[in-house]
Amino acid sequence: MAAIQKTSESTYIFLKIADNTLDDIDRQFGLENQLDLDSSPPPRYGLGALERLPLEIIHLALMQLDIQSFTDFRRVNKRTRLITNSIPQYRNILIHTPELIRGIINIETARNFSCQDLYKKLSTAECDHCGEFGGYLYLVTCHRVCLLCFTEETDYLPLSRKDVMRKFGLESELLANLPRMRSFPGRYSPREIKCRRHETLFDHSAA
């Protein structure tokens, strides 16, 4: 995936920066079929007491769930899968960016924001920080950002456990309440710095 930089009101250029993309994570961990939209054959079991509610109310409630809770509900049975598939916003996310949900789950940020939050960010184009075109999503807290803010603003540069404790003087038990992500081994940055193990990184602005 090429990085995009805005040079004028009507001109964007592609920068030659090699990214680690969510597609790469999918291929590495074999997750292509984890969240597919196929729900056949018809379900044998229902929603229990939830069947009494109008479908629109169920949709509204589900969209307010964090993505992990939404996914857990979706996995209960085929009926819950059909219900989640029938939510227009979720279908749009899954059809157009299926790797996004999988990536969020696997970097373990799915508890940090709701499906509604994600859909809202995907439906906007401006960087949350500067208002320019935002070609990226900061998936620790679901913010839309441009390349410049993504790479230079400290709010979007998550910190290791050691760095958070040293910089902000936080005790280890307080870290459990901070938004965080789990990285994947690979080569990162234009200098191709190699990371050999999973790292837990904490949101800078929340710390």
Side-chain angles (χ1 to χ4, degrees), residues 127-159:
C127 173
D128 288 343
H129 193 87
C130 70
E132 296 292 340
F133 172 72
Y136 294 85
L137 285 177
Y138 175 67
L139 291 180
V140 181
T141 54
C142 195
H143 283 81
R144 189 113 193 183
V145 291
C146 65
L147 175 64
L148 188 63
C149 292
F150 207 4
T151 55
E152 295 190 2
E153 292 294 334
T154 56
D155 283 352
Y156 307 116
L157 299 176
L159 301 171

Side-chain angles (χ1 to χ4, degrees), residues 44-170:
R44 295 174 56 190
Y45 303 101
L47 300 179
L50 291 178
E51 294 282 8
R52 302 172 186 173
L53 297 175
L55 184 60
E56 293 80 4
I57 299 298
I58 296 176
H59 282 183
L60 289 172
L62 290 175
M63 286 300 291
Q64 300 307 313
L65 294 177
D66 65 71
I67 291 174
Q68 187 62 61
S69 298
F70 184 100
T71 302
D72 292 343
F73 175 84
R74 176 180 169 80
R75 291 170 174 167
V76 170
N77 58 36
K78 286 189 172 68
R79 176 61 173 155
T80 61
R81 194 177 180 87
L82 282 172
I83 290 293
T84 54
N85 285 353
S86 68
I87 300 174
Q89 300 95 318
Y90 182 72
R91 284 189 66 88
N92 284 333
I93 293 173
L94 218 55
I95 289 170
H96 297 292
T97 59
E99 71 283 353
L100 183 56
I101 295 288
R102 291 190 287 262
I104 289 169
I105 291 171
N106 282 277
I107 64 173
E108 299 182 7
T109 63
R111 295 284 185 193
N112 297 347
F113 45 88
S114 69
C115 283
Q116 184 62 45
D117 294 333
L118 179 61
Y119 181 76
K120 182 178 179 181
K121 291 305 176 184
L122 289 173
S123 302
T124 59
E126 295 79 20
C127 173
D128 288 343
H129 193 87
C130 70
E132 296 292 340
F133 172 72
Y136 294 85
L137 285 177
Y138 175 67
L139 291 180
V140 181
T141 54
C142 195
H143 283 81
R144 189 113 193 183
V145 291
C146 65
L147 175 64
L148 188 63
C149 292
F150 207 4
T151 55
E152 295 190 2
E153 292 294 334
T154 56
D155 283 352
Y156 307 116
L157 299 176
L159 301 171
S160 67
R161 177 183 297 269
K162 180 179 178 181
D163 288 339
V164 169
M165 295 176 69
R166 182 178 63 229
K167 183 173 183 178
F168 298 102
L170 297 179

